[in-house]
Amino acid sequence: MNETLVQGISVMCIGMGTVLAFLCITIGSMFVMSNVVGKLNQIFPEVVPQVAGAKRAVSDDAEVAAAIIAAMFRGK
């Protein structure tokens, strides 16, 4: 084989190996950080404020459907 071709293949393998190693380190660090944040969330839970008289999400769907039907018949 030509020496230039061998050098090109070796440089390609080094480059692809570097990218693969970087991606593996990135994925591993994401899993570790996910576990750390999960444990911290158990230790320090976030308080969710309760709003008095808040509407339920189910009624919002009915209102949206009614608005769509009203807009359809208004155009005619």
Side-chain angles (χ1 to χ4, degrees), residues 6-76:
V6 172
Q7 286 178 350
I9 290 173
S10 66
V11 169
M12 179 188 71
C13 290
I14 291 171
M16 291 177 72
T18 303
V19 170
L20 179 65
F22 177 75
L23 289 175
C24 289
I25 291 170
T26 303
I27 291 170
S29 64
M30 287 173 57
F31 279 121
V32 169
M33 287 302 298
S34 174
N35 290 332
V36 168
V37 170
K39 295 293 181 188
L40 285 176
N41 195 19
Q42 289 176 355
I43 296 171
F44 304 109
E46 185 176 341
V47 178
V48 178
Q50 296 293 328
V51 179
K55 289 184 178 180
R56 295 186 318 180
V58 175
S59 65
D60 290 341
D61 291 338
E63 291 175 6
V64 169
I68 291 172
I69 292 172
M72 287 173 53
F73 283 111
R74 182 179 178 156
K76 290 185 178 181

